Amino acid sequence: MNRRLFLKASLATPVVLVLGTKLVATLRPYPLSDMLVQLRALPLHRVSSSGPWNVSQILQHCAQSVRYSIYGYPASRSPWFQNSIGKLAVNAFAAKGQLHHDLDEPIPGAPDLEAGVPNDVAMRELIYHIQQFMDWQGPLQPHFAYGRLTKAQYYSAHYLHLQSHLAQINIS
């Protein structure tokens, strides 16, 4: 292989990978309406958490995340992080269909989660904020780690975030 061709391929490969990941990410459906059906079907009197947060705290955390996408996150990573690592991460997660993060890490600057809030109250709050997000026609706020997202990107981020946390909820 000649040197010029090798250099062109070396420069083009990362661009092709990033654009390919973004394309795959945009093609996957993330129906929050299906997530609402799943949430409403949870028998809240028979659930427990396999993680450090109880079920109510998990639901509160997810509600915070959805609410902040409309009203703004209390703290954010640097613009450099959001526009580099954050953008790569959100597209990779959406393309893979799975989000990986510490499941007991609070949203930066968010108020503490209240362990004593009843599950049904936390669930109503989460459902309310998901529905509000789905109906929202105004501008969306930048994600604390991913930066500015389209509504479709937020759909995938919220869906995958909820899916990730719901995996900690067990039904007995």
Side-chain angles (χ1 to χ4, degrees):
M1 176 185 292
N2 75 34
R3 185 178 174 151
R4 178 176 283 155
L5 184 59
F6 176 76
L7 287 173
K8 284 182 181 178
S10 296
L11 293 173
T13 300
V15 172
V16 169
L17 286 173
V18 168
L19 293 176
T21 300
K22 188 165 181 142
L23 176 64
V24 171
T26 60
L27 295 176
R28 280 185 177 270
Y30 291 102
L32 283 177
S33 56
D34 290 357
M35 185 62 71
L36 281 175
V37 170
Q38 184 180 348
L39 289 169
R40 288 182 176 122
L42 275 177
L44 294 176
H45 59 287
R46 294 182 22 230
V47 294
S48 62
S49 170
S50 62
W53 287 341
N54 67 30
V55 172
S56 174
Q57 290 169 307
I58 291 170
L59 300 174
Q60 291 170 58
H61 169 78
C62 291
Q64 285 177 336
S65 180
V66 176
R67 182 174 60 250
Y68 292 150
S69 66
I70 296 172
Y71 299 110
Y73 286 81
S76 294
R77 296 268 192 145
S78 72
W80 179 88
F81 184 94
Q82 291 177 351
N83 291 308
S84 58
I85 296 167
K87 289 291 186 234
L88 289 172
V90 73
N91 287 318
F93 294 148
K96 186 176 181 184
Q98 195 171 20
L99 181 132
H100 296 285
H101 71 298
D102 292 332
L103 295 176
D104 62 346
E105 187 175 347
I107 296 169
D112 291 339
L113 304 169
E114 297 291 329
V117 173
N119 289 347
D120 63 323
V121 172
M123 180 63 81
R124 279 195 303 273
E125 178 188 16
L126 175 57
I127 289 171
Y128 170 80
H129 288 296
I130 292 171
Q131 191 63 59
Q132 183 184 34
F133 171 80
M134 290 170 55
D135 296 340
W136 187 255
Q137 297 299 312
L140 296 168
Q141 301 301 311
H143 187 275
F144 77 92
Y146 308 142
R148 292 236 171 251
L149 299 178
T150 65
K151 191 151 189 185
Q153 288 173 311
Y154 255 125
Y155 259 81
S156 65
H158 289 323
Y159 185 96
L160 294 171
H161 187 238
L162 286 159
Q163 182 183 56
S164 179
H165 280 286
L166 289 178
Q168 289 185 295
I169 297 177
N170 305 308
I171 300 172
S172 56

